[in-house]
Amino acid sequence: MKKVAVIMGSDSDLPVVEKCIDELKKYDIPTEVHVYSAHRTPDEAISFAKAAEENGFGVIISAAGKAAHLGGVLAANTVLPIVGIPIKASALDGMDALLSTVQMPPGIPVASIAIDGAKNAAIFAAEILAVSDVALRTRLWEERRKSHDAVIEKDVAVSAKFN
C-alpha cells in the first residue's frame, strides 16, 4: 500500500492534525508526519514533495493556517494528490487559510477539506488510495455502513420520544 504524508506548517497545528493521523491509523495506512513551513523551511518542503512519489507516497495531506501556502508549495513540486486542511489559526477563523488553500492557479490543484476537517482529510486520502486497493475500499464501505446504522438508531430513539 502507498503511504500518506501528513505535513503541517507548524507544530501548533498538531491538535487538529492528530485527528487525521488517528483516522489514517484506523485504516492501517502507513503514514509519515512532518513539520515543514512553506515560508520558514521551503527547501525542506520542496525536497520532500519532489521525492515523495519515489519514496512510496500516494497522497500528501497539507495542514496550514493563516497564509496557508504549504499545500501550493507541495503541489508545485509533485503530481501526487495534495489534500489541504485549512487550520483555524487567526482572528479570521480559518477563512484566510481556506482561501489560500483553494485559490490555486490552473494546473496546480490542491483539494481542500473543511476548516479543521482533519478526519475528512484522512478519509479522502484513504478513498484516493482505495481506487487501487480493494481491501481498503471494502473497509471504507464498512465504515459508511456503521455511520448509516448509527444515524438510523438515533432516528428511532428520537422518533420514539416525540412521535
Side-chain angles (χ1 to χ4, degrees):
M1 176 185 295
K2 295 278 187 183
K3 299 184 286 185
V4 172
V6 179
I7 312 295
M8 65 194 97
S10 169
D11 65 346
S12 65
D13 302 328
L14 193 55
V16 171
V17 172
E18 282 179 319
K19 296 171 190 150
C20 176
I21 297 164
D22 291 345
E23 193 71 13
L24 291 165
K25 285 180 183 177
K26 182 169 105 177
Y27 290 103
D28 299 319
I29 296 172
T31 305
E32 199 171 295
V33 181
H34 294 281
V35 176
Y36 295 135
S37 168
H39 305 105
R40 294 168 295 207
T41 59
D43 293 338
E44 290 79 1
I46 290 166
S47 177
F48 183 89
K50 285 183 175 182
E53 188 173 1
E54 180 182 314
N55 288 330
F57 291 93
V59 180
I60 299 173
I61 296 173
S62 164
K66 298 182 182 177
H69 297 127
L70 182 59
V73 167
L74 296 168
N77 290 283
T78 186
V79 294
L80 292 177
I82 307 295
V83 179
I85 306 171
I87 302 291
K88 188 186 301 185
S90 73
L92 297 174
D93 287 332
M95 287 302 297
D96 47 347
L98 175 64
L99 293 173
S100 294
T101 302
V102 301
Q103 296 289 36
M104 295 301 300
I108 310 293
V110 174
S112 184
I113 300 301
I115 296 167
D116 289 351
K119 182 176 177 177
N120 270 355
I123 293 168
F124 188 57
E127 290 175 345
I128 292 168
L129 296 178
V131 168
S132 60
D133 186 324
V134 175
L136 181 55
R137 194 164 50 250
T138 300
R139 291 185 69 196
L140 285 162
W141 275 116
E142 288 170 7
E143 287 301 315
R144 287 276 177 101
R145 277 190 292 280
K146 288 179 188 175
S147 178
H148 168 272
D149 293 348
V151 172
I152 295 301
E153 286 178 24
K154 291 174 185 177
D155 173 59
V156 169
V158 170
S159 294
K161 184 174 181 176
F162 295 104
N163 295 331

